[in-house]
Amino acid sequence: MQISNINDVKVYNLSFGKSLPEWLSDRKKRQLQKKDVEIQRRIELIQDFEMPTVSTSIKVSRDGQFILAAGTYKPRVRCYDTYQLSLKFERCLDSDVVAFEILSDDYSKLVFLHCDRHVEFHAQHGHYYKTRIPKFGRDFSYHYPSCDLFFVGMSSEVYRLNLEQGRFLNSLQTDAAENNVCDINPVHHLFATGTSEGRVECWDPRVRNRVGMLDCALSSLTEGTEVQGLPFVSALKFNGSLTMAVGTSTGQVLLYDLRSSRPLLVKDHFYNLPIKSLNFHEQLDLIVSADSKIIKIWNKDSGKLFTSLQPQTDINDVCIYPKSGMLFTANEDPKMNTFYIPALGPAPRWCSFLDSLTEELEESPESTVYDDYKFVTRKDLENLGLSHLVGSPLLRAYMHGFFMDIRLYHKVKTMANPFAYEEYRKDKIRQKIEESRTQRVQIKKLPKVNKELALKLMEEGDEEAELASRKKKGKAVPSILGDDRFKVMFENPDFQVDEQSEEFRLLNPIVSKVGQKRKKTLRLQAQQEAAVQQAADEEEEPEGRASSEEESSDDDKSWVEEVREQRRLLRQEDRDRRRQERREADRSTVLLERGEKPESKKTSQPQFYQIKAGEEFRSFGDMARKQKLQKASLEERLKLEESSGISSSAVDTAVGSKQLTFTLKKVQMLMSQRFAAAEWHAKIRRHVNCKRSDSERLKVKENELRTLNPGCV
């Protein structure tokens, strides 16, 4: 509970404090209530008096037993029973609620206007009926004598839905382009609607004719008001038979008498925000007006401020519990606020204990704190030589001492202590000594994971701190080690940096140099920690360590050359690794005779094989010669084999003797062409021989014989 005193009026915020999550178990809630003082002091007037995300509107039934609130997300309405101080029911809806009205004395008849033009009716058991209006609605009012619902929205027409006949009636045609709000007078049932042009049109529901019009836009302009645009009517409320309050979009509240076209009073909120809610407190003749920032309670006759409330979140709606000093607000926050102002009236019957609670709080005086006074005891007065002032107006008795003016205290202390400069000088010398001690070797606790990275960050942080200390306006950047977001990087072994990886070595070309320095620093620190643990009483500092300047003598090299060197080393390592893999593969190769099947891999015993007769065994160490042969051309390999006397029909490899036979595609084509030409010539000869005579055939044979054997006759 939070207590505020504005304009000598105490306001109790009953919903202030921490709220426990719904998913916590009862045991956890009890444990938190025992430990947390703020949770112990909070007052949970109605259990679960909140919405999942945002509450948009809130109302109290006419019998005062039920409180209904609409909110999101998801769109829903909740009903709270004040007699049970808990949630009675909750109903989810299809779309967000723009406005709703309670038609009965309890929750048995409800009407909801949705943002998608639907009008939904609920009975005591739940959903009853749903219909839709032609245009998007913004507000509606219920006319009890005729059972008509008047809907206003993004249209110049006012739609009428008769609940007795169950049908739409002829609409009312206004002169405005759009209508924002509407209300019906509870005495003579005059219907009024506020337009987007800043006017208020009044209609008589009995004859369906307009009976009057008020121009509120011009009347809301006062001296010193900055005009940024034409104000429109954002709130409207009747009180009695002749009083009407109008709220504008620029933050003014106009109080009218229906018999006059000029406002009786203009109240400005000075926030330049639209007025969202207007309520009348009839017992004290007060008006409760609210925009999204503040709730102001002021006298309707003089306009004098009674008190004001300013919640921590934006306000959507305000509801006053009838004949009491309790207010409910719907906010842009899950929690709906509950305020109790004893000056407005007593607490409701279902929470009458609030009266006795507030009375006890008023009786117990609060401890007063004096900002411009210094508290001193009798001993302090004797040291300052002011004991003779006891009983004078300069000392105010309080508890076991006195309050005195802070200016008088400083003057007397300066006169009573002439050696203040010596004390100041000693303090400065002590500070210089402490600063010099901080420059000595200090033992830093390093995390278990990424020690080298942590040491690098510490060194960079020290350098940045020194640089910031040299600059007057410089501020040191906070270190990653002190940030909770990166805490896991130094605790989880999965985040350990692999310095041997290819990416690390290429992206960090100077890590190999700086890493040596860090490793030596780590070794030095480990030795220091061991020495401190063994002899805690010894304060000797380790000496004889190599300086950082001697260690980093090669730092002037270019990073480009370092990257090239790293790439060359990576390629060399890759070649060595492949060569090692090939050697391991050759050693693990098993020679089998023809027809034999390889045994299972599970056998770990050595296997022996017999070399066939006529085959020559060659060693496995001639891999360099074979690689050279593979890179050479075919002609060079044939010449090398001929010169060394190795047969080209069989080539020995690591896995046995193999022979390769191939035929070029071009040779096959030439052979096929020659064979086809020979067949064609034979066919022609046979055809020609058939046509020749016997003598001619004999001559041809003789010529062929002579061609084959030139020596024979």
Side-chain angles (χ1 to χ4, degrees), residues 394-455:
L394 297 177
L395 296 179
R396 187 187 299 269
Y398 184 77
M399 295 179 67
H400 63 284
F402 304 90
F403 274 109
M404 66 181 300
D405 196 305
I406 190 69
R407 294 172 295 179
L408 177 61
Y409 174 79
H410 287 314
K411 285 184 180 180
V412 174
K413 188 177 180 182
T414 304
M415 296 173 61
N417 191 5
F419 303 99
Y421 177 73
E422 294 295 332
E423 295 179 0
Y424 171 77
R425 185 169 174 272
K426 290 180 180 179
D427 292 339
K428 282 294 182 182
I429 293 173
R430 191 181 300 108
Q431 291 178 5
K432 290 291 185 181
I433 293 173
E434 292 295 334
E435 290 177 0
S436 63
R437 286 177 179 175
T438 57
Q439 298 176 1
R440 298 179 182 179
V441 178
Q442 296 181 356
I443 298 175
K444 302 177 183 178
K445 293 183 179 179
L446 295 177
K448 297 181 180 179
V449 182
N450 291 327
K451 289 186 178 181
E452 297 185 1
L453 178 61
L455 183 60

Side-chain angles (χ1 to χ4, degrees), residues 22 25 29 39 41 49 102 121 132-133 182 200 228 331 365 514 545 557 596 610 620 626 632 644-645:
E22 296 181 356
S25 61
K29 290 181 180 179
I39 296 178
R41 292 179 179 177
F49 194 62
I102 305 173
F121 298 88
R132 194 166 67 171
I133 57 178
C182 64
V200 175
Q228 297 180 353
N331 320 292
V514 183
R545 302 297 178 184
K557 290 185 179 180
E596 293 184 5
Q610 183 179 3
F620 297 101
K626 294 176 182 178
S644 58

Side-chain angles (χ1 to χ4, degrees), residues 142-187:
Y142 181 63
H143 188 241
Y144 284 92
S146 62
C147 299
D148 288 345
L149 281 173
F150 291 85
F151 295 95
V152 297
M154 299 177 63
S155 174
S156 61
E157 297 180 349
V158 179
Y159 304 108
R160 295 192 303 151
L161 176 62
N162 188 273
L163 301 184
E164 184 180 7
Q165 302 178 21
R167 65 187 183 92
F168 282 96
L169 304 179
N170 293 331
S171 58
L172 305 178
Q173 184 66 41
T174 63
D175 294 339
E178 294 179 355
N179 296 283
N180 297 325
V181 291
C182 64
D183 194 23
I184 295 178
N185 192 291
V187 179

Side-chain angles (χ1 to χ4, degrees), residues 189-316:
H189 305 293
L190 181 69
F191 174 74
T193 174
T195 66
S196 58
E197 288 82 6
R199 299 188 181 93
V200 175
E201 297 187 9
C202 299
W203 295 71
D204 189 354
R206 297 171 298 180
V207 295
R208 299 190 300 277
N209 291 329
R210 187 173 61 195
V211 295
M213 181 184 294
L214 294 173
D215 192 351
C216 302
L218 297 177
S219 301
S220 64
L221 300 178
T222 57
E223 295 182 2
T225 305
E226 296 181 1
V227 180
Q228 297 180 353
L230 184 65
F232 58 86
V233 179
S234 60
L236 186 64
K237 190 70 175 180
F238 281 105
N239 180 40
S241 57
L242 298 176
T243 308
M244 180 181 66
V246 179
T248 63
S249 60
T250 53
Q252 289 86 22
V253 180
L254 292 82
L255 192 63
Y256 281 93
D257 190 318
L258 294 181
R259 296 168 293 183
S260 174
S261 61
R262 294 185 178 181
L264 301 175
L265 185 66
V266 178
K267 183 69 175 178
D268 197 345
H269 274 218
F270 297 106
Y271 278 95
N272 201 23
L273 295 173
I275 303 297
K276 291 195 172 184
S277 175
L278 288 172
N279 292 279
F280 286 88
H281 194 275
E282 298 179 357
Q283 287 79 11
L284 299 178
D285 291 336
L286 299 175
I287 296 178
V288 182
S289 58
D291 56 20
S292 60
K293 289 290 184 183
I294 194 171
I295 302 172
K296 288 192 175 184
I297 305 175
W298 45 281
N299 191 283
K300 71 175 184 179
D301 296 328
S302 62
K304 184 179 179 181
L305 183 66
F306 181 75
T307 188
S308 62
L309 310 173
Q310 193 165 3
Q312 298 178 352
T313 55
D314 292 346
I315 304 168
N316 290 327

Side-chain angles (χ1 to χ4, degrees), residues 513 516-517 520 544-556:
K513 300 176 184 176
Q516 297 176 359
K517 176 184 174 182
K520 291 183 180 179
R545 302 297 178 184
S547 62
S548 59
E549 296 179 357
E550 296 175 358
E551 293 174 357
S552 56
S553 59
D554 300 334
D555 291 345
D556 54 345

